[in-house]
Amino acid sequence: MEIQKYIDDYMPVVMEYGVKLALAVVIFIVGKIIAKYIASAVKGSMVKSGVDSTISIFAANLINGLLLAFVVIAALGQIGIQTASFVAIVGAAGLAVGLALQGSLANFASGVLIILFRPIKLGDFIDAGGVMGSVKNISIFSTILKTGDNKIITVPNSRIMGGPITNFSTEATRRIDLIVGISYDADIRRAKEVLNEIVDADERVLAEPAVTIAVSELGESSVNFVVRPWVNSADYWPTKFDITEKIKLRFDEEGIGIPYPQMDVHLHKEVS
């Protein structure tokens, strides 16, 4: 009799919560499958659109995690658990994590922008974030540069996107800008002829755009020429170094003086 009484008293409750628990399990399983399907669909769509694989994987995982959170909340609500406080706790925890990781989130956002808009790419020689070097790797949070003296520098992406980016590799050609000073008693016409001969003799100098060689300034102690030949970007530094050296050697041969800073000191003797 007592067993029957317990059955009569508690069976409806067991049945009610059993059905709710079963529905909660169904909601969780089906929701998990749907979340995984949606995340996979988003990832596939991004890959087809040409989005970088790092971003597509991260976005798919993020969407999957968010959907799973909603599925868990829905399943708990089906059982009868009050989810309002749970949502508040999750939100507060998310805010705390966001504040703690705000630097990393800024780097992530900058990494997404770099990958999407491509201001730089692998192999480019850039000046960004206070560092100059060749781009060796671009990840979500940082960019790795290799300097001219073979050092590897990891730069946070927020530093790169937070300031000007000078990309020396985007264009196929570059202009060399040299300033050459000669003394005031030197022959300007001959100096200009020598500069033209040096530039014309270098096969790396491009015919177009035309070279600019002209007097730019009458300085305090020198007459300054600008020498501006155009070269392929890969030939920039070797050509600049060679032309600079040849100018000095030819000027020495031609007797064209290159002035250097001087200071005249006058001593006055005081008569007591």
Side-chain angles (χ1 to χ4, degrees), residues 71 129 183:
V71 169
S183 60

Side-chain angles (χ1 to χ4, degrees), residues 51-87:
V51 178
D52 189 88
S53 60
T54 305
I55 292 221
S56 61
I57 292 172
F58 180 85
N61 291 336
L62 181 62
I63 291 173
N64 186 59
L66 292 174
L67 292 177
L68 278 179
F70 284 115
V71 169
V72 170
I73 292 173
L76 293 176
Q78 178 62 39
I79 297 173
I81 298 176
Q82 294 295 325
T83 58
S85 58
F86 180 75
V87 173

Side-chain angles (χ1 to χ4, degrees), residues 6-199:
Y6 279 120
I7 293 175
D8 292 340
D9 290 342
Y10 292 106
M11 184 57 69
V13 177
V14 172
M15 291 295 296
E16 179 182 356
Y17 281 98
V19 172
K20 289 183 178 181
L21 181 60
L23 288 175
V25 172
V26 171
I27 290 173
F28 178 77
I29 294 175
V30 174
K32 185 178 180 180
I33 294 173
I34 294 175
K36 185 176 181 180
Y37 174 79
I38 293 175
S40 298
V42 170
K43 179 183 175 182
S45 177
M46 294 178 73
V47 170
K48 289 181 180 178
S49 301
V51 178
D52 189 88
S53 60
T54 305
I55 292 221
S56 61
I57 292 172
F58 180 85
N61 291 336
L62 181 62
I63 291 173
N64 186 59
L66 292 174
L67 292 177
L68 278 179
F70 284 115
V71 169
V72 170
I73 292 173
L76 293 176
Q78 178 62 39
I79 297 173
I81 298 176
Q82 294 295 325
T83 58
S85 58
F86 180 75
V87 173
I89 293 173
V90 172
L95 178 61
V97 172
L99 291 174
L101 299 177
Q102 56 183 339
S104 297
L105 292 176
N107 289 328
F108 167 76
S110 299
V112 172
L113 294 177
I114 291 174
I115 293 172
L116 287 178
F117 295 105
R118 298 288 184 182
I120 60 176
K121 62 181 184 297
L122 295 181
D124 285 352
F125 187 80
I126 67 170
D127 182 0
V131 180
M132 185 179 294
S134 299
V135 180
K136 304 300 293 182
N137 184 45
I138 301 173
S139 65
I140 284 296
F141 295 101
S142 62
T143 297
I144 297 177
L145 301 181
K146 184 178 182 180
T147 64
D149 55 352
N150 212 30
K151 292 186 292 188
I152 299 298
I153 301 178
T154 301
V155 186
N157 286 333
S158 59
R159 284 188 58 184
I160 291 179
M161 293 301 293
I165 301 173
T166 303
N167 193 328
F168 299 97
S169 303
T170 301
E171 299 296 333
T173 60
R174 287 183 63 187
R175 189 183 72 187
I176 297 174
D177 289 331
L178 295 175
I179 297 178
V180 181
I182 64 172
S183 60
Y184 269 93
D185 57 358
D187 187 339
I188 293 179
R189 294 184 181 86
R190 181 54 187 159
K192 190 172 184 178
E193 289 175 358
V194 170
L195 292 174
N196 274 297
E197 290 172 4
I198 293 172
V199 172

